[in-house]
Amino acid sequence: MAAEGVPRVAVCPGSYDPVTNGHIDIITRAANIFDKVVVGVANKPVRKEKTLFTGEERREFIKEATTGLENVEVEVFSSLLVEFARDQGASAIVKGLRAISDFEYEFEMNQLNKKLAPDLESVYIIASPNYSFLSSTGVKEMATFGGDVSDLVPGPVSEALSGRLER
Ligand code: PNS
């Protein structure tokens, strides 16, 4: 149990290349549960190829989309996630879960992170039905071929995608 008066902090980590409305939904719901949520933009996710947007661009997109959420901060990190979480004073890592296909990867990450930091709890929020199909990769693929993604990502992301990707 958190000591009285000590704020409960969670980190919401991800590559966010780019952030989608599904991510914003998870961040918003996490912000309703925790006193403070620090969105952690992984600067160099090992399993992803080169990112489309820089860490700073990805951070700006999220900052802009979460301006109405007073207890949300956004930081870029290049360290281990558990170290970032400790630096932020977090007691929990919050991640979104869509379909069963997410489970295997999240299960592995959970076990690795737990081994490194047993005191840090991972918490999973199930994606809202509206967003259960939504991924950054899918959005990039749609935008590459001129598909309209304006319902799927924040406005500035949609604009940036069409400028950068359209073939
Ligand atoms: O869902 P994502 O975008 O692949 O998540 C990225 C991240 C960093 C949250 C995930 O890869 C993770 O949990 N990694 C744990 C290992 C770690 O600390 N990597 C350092 C990334 S800078």
Side-chain angles (χ1 to χ4, degrees):
M1 203 167 144
E4 211 173 321
V6 177
R8 281 184 191 271
V9 181
V11 292
C12 238
S15 311
Y16 301 110
D17 186 43
V19 69
T20 68
N21 291 344
H23 291 130
I24 300 297
D25 180 54
I26 299 293
I27 293 165
T28 303
R29 291 162 64 194
N32 286 334
I33 302 171
F34 290 90
D35 297 314
K36 180 176 156 190
V37 169
V38 183
V39 180
V41 177
N43 201 16
K44 293 191 173 71
V46 171
R47 296 186 198 210
K48 304 271 156 78
E49 287 168 29
K50 199 178 164 327
T51 55
L52 179 63
F53 295 103
T54 66
E56 204 45 48
E57 286 172 325
R58 286 177 276 145
R59 175 173 176 269
E60 277 307 309
F61 288 140
I62 303 169
K63 267 189 80 114
E64 202 164 342
T66 57
T67 41
L69 301 172
E70 282 179 4
N71 60 339
V72 172
E73 289 176 11
V74 193
E75 303 288 348
V76 177
F77 73 101
S78 305
S79 61
L80 273 175
L81 170 57
V82 294
E83 281 171 10
F84 172 71
R86 271 207 197 103
D87 290 347
Q88 299 299 326
S91 55
I93 297 169
V94 175
K95 299 207 78 180
L97 267 190
R98 291 164 302 184
I100 286 290
S101 49
D102 279 344
F103 181 80
E104 212 169 322
Y105 171 71
E106 293 302 344
F107 186 80
E108 182 189 347
M109 287 300 137
N110 180 296
Q111 304 290 301
L112 289 171
N113 289 332
K114 198 78 186 160
K115 190 159 175 50
L116 294 175
D119 53 320
L120 202 56
E121 208 54 70
S122 292
V123 176
Y124 300 88
I125 296 181
I126 301 290
S128 303
N130 284 355
Y131 303 123
S132 58
F133 64 94
L134 188 52
S135 70
S136 300
T137 306
V139 163
K140 281 184 281 195
E141 182 159 4
M142 298 279 284
T144 299
F145 297 98
D148 180 9
V149 295
S150 56
D151 280 356
L152 308 177
V153 293
V157 174
S158 175
E159 280 164 35
L161 276 171
S162 50
R164 200 163 295 194
L165 278 180
E166 221 172 287
R167 289 190 174 167

